[in-house]
Amino acid sequence: MGKKNGNRKSDTAEPVAERSAASGSPTRPCASEADAGPRSGEAANIFKILKEIMEVQKEIKQQLRDIKSELASVNQKIAVAETRIEKVEDCIQNVEQILSKTIKILHHQEGKLLDLEGRSRRKNIRIYNVPEGAKGSSMTEFVGKLLRDALDIPSAMKLEVERAHRALFPKPTQDRKPCSIIIKFLRYITKAEILRRAWGKKRVFFDDKLRYFDQDYTALHGPAETQRILRSKASTKAKKD
């Protein structure tokens, strides 16, 4: 009886195995085979990532080397520029010193020239408000008649007019004042006496028109320029206060 039952079990097991093989139903793989697939894929991904990181590192190192070389070049250029700037600053300092000395010399020479020009005009006077074309044939004769008639100069007094002419300006138009007349006397005493008489009368008329007498100032030291300088000094002082 026992042998029959054992044979039956074996007989039944074999047909079952054959049926399963014939039907093609999958069988479950073992645990080691199941874990081998995912692990190999993860390793491939990690290797790929590491490879990309190494390539990025190489690029970064190359960029750093390029940056270092550029910085070295820039530093060299900066050093050259600093050297040139120092030389230029030294040159500018020297030029400033030279210019300062030159300006002092020019001011000194200008003062001497103005003094010489002023001395050359010491014997001159100016007459203002004399119409253009009123001189006639000779300016010297016209000026002599004007001085004697307007200032009541006696005939015994010699005027000794060395030169007389209009100021060296373009002829003015009708709506502008006429150019002044410059008179140079041979002697300073005569010029001083003429001004004393003119300023003593205060209002000098000739041909029923008011005439004005004044010194022949230099261009930079005339009355208008003097007033401008005084106004400038006053405004500067007011600003400081």
Side-chain angles (χ1 to χ4, degrees):
M1 290 295 292
K3 292 180 179 179
K4 290 180 179 180
N5 293 331
N7 292 330
R8 288 179 182 175
K9 290 180 180 179
S10 62
D11 293 339
T12 58
E14 289 176 358
V16 172
E18 290 175 358
R19 287 197 299 270
S20 62
S23 62
S25 59
T27 58
R28 181 178 296 177
C30 63
S32 61
E33 292 178 356
D35 295 338
R39 288 181 180 177
S40 62
E42 291 177 358
N45 291 334
I46 292 171
F47 179 77
K48 184 178 180 181
I49 292 170
L50 290 173
K51 187 176 180 181
E52 291 177 354
I53 291 172
M54 291 177 67
E55 291 177 355
V56 172
Q57 287 179 346
K58 288 181 180 179
E59 292 179 358
I60 292 173
K61 289 180 180 179
Q62 183 62 36
Q63 291 177 358
L64 288 174
R65 284 194 293 268
D66 295 340
I67 291 171
K68 287 181 180 179
S69 62
E70 290 179 0
L71 285 175
S73 177
V74 170
N75 290 331
Q76 185 177 2
K77 291 179 180 179
I78 290 173
V80 174
E82 288 177 350
T83 304
R84 291 183 178 180
I85 289 170
E86 289 178 357
K87 291 181 179 179
V88 171
E89 287 177 350
D90 293 338
C91 292
I92 290 173
Q93 188 175 3
N94 294 332
V95 170
E96 287 178 349
Q97 293 176 355
I98 293 170
L99 282 176
S100 178
K101 292 180 180 179
T102 305
I103 289 171
K104 289 181 180 179
I105 294 172
L106 285 175
H107 282 313
H108 180 68
Q109 295 296 329
E110 183 181 11
K112 293 182 72 174
L113 286 173
L114 288 173
D115 181 67
L116 289 173
E117 184 179 357
R119 290 177 184 274
S120 68
R121 297 187 183 194
R122 289 183 65 189
K123 301 177 184 179
N124 298 356
I125 66 170
R126 284 184 183 246
I127 304 176
Y128 297 91
N129 201 28
V130 178
E132 297 282 344
K135 66 177 182 178
S137 59
S138 173
M139 179 64 78
T140 305
E141 294 178 0
F142 172 77
V143 165
K145 184 176 184 304
L146 186 153
L147 293 175
R148 292 188 183 277
D149 293 349
L151 302 178
D152 302 326
I153 297 176
S155 58
M157 178 181 173
K158 295 182 179 181
L159 295 178
E160 297 179 315
V161 176
E162 184 177 342
R163 185 174 63 251
H165 60 83
R166 292 278 180 179
L168 302 178
F169 291 101
K171 189 174 181 179
T173 56
Q174 294 181 355
D175 56 343
R176 295 186 62 184
K177 293 182 178 180
C179 294
S180 60
I181 296 176
I182 301 173
I183 305 171
K184 183 178 181 180
F185 295 94
L186 183 62
R187 303 179 186 277
Y188 176 79
I189 298 175
T190 308
K191 172 248 185 174
E193 178 64 20
I194 295 295
L195 283 181
R196 186 187 66 79
R197 288 174 176 268
W199 291 347
K201 294 186 71 172
K202 295 183 179 180
R203 297 173 65 86
V204 180
F205 289 89
F206 179 74
D207 290 342
D208 298 330
K209 291 185 179 180
L210 189 62
R211 316 299 181 186
Y212 303 98
F213 291 74
D214 201 355
Q215 300 274 6
D216 183 23
Y217 296 100
T218 59
L220 295 178
H221 287 75
E225 182 67 17
T226 303
Q227 293 297 325
R228 187 189 67 79
I229 293 172
L230 292 175
R231 286 196 300 269
S232 177
K233 289 182 178 179
S235 62
T236 304
K237 185 177 180 181
K239 289 180 180 178
K240 289 181 179 179
D241 297 338

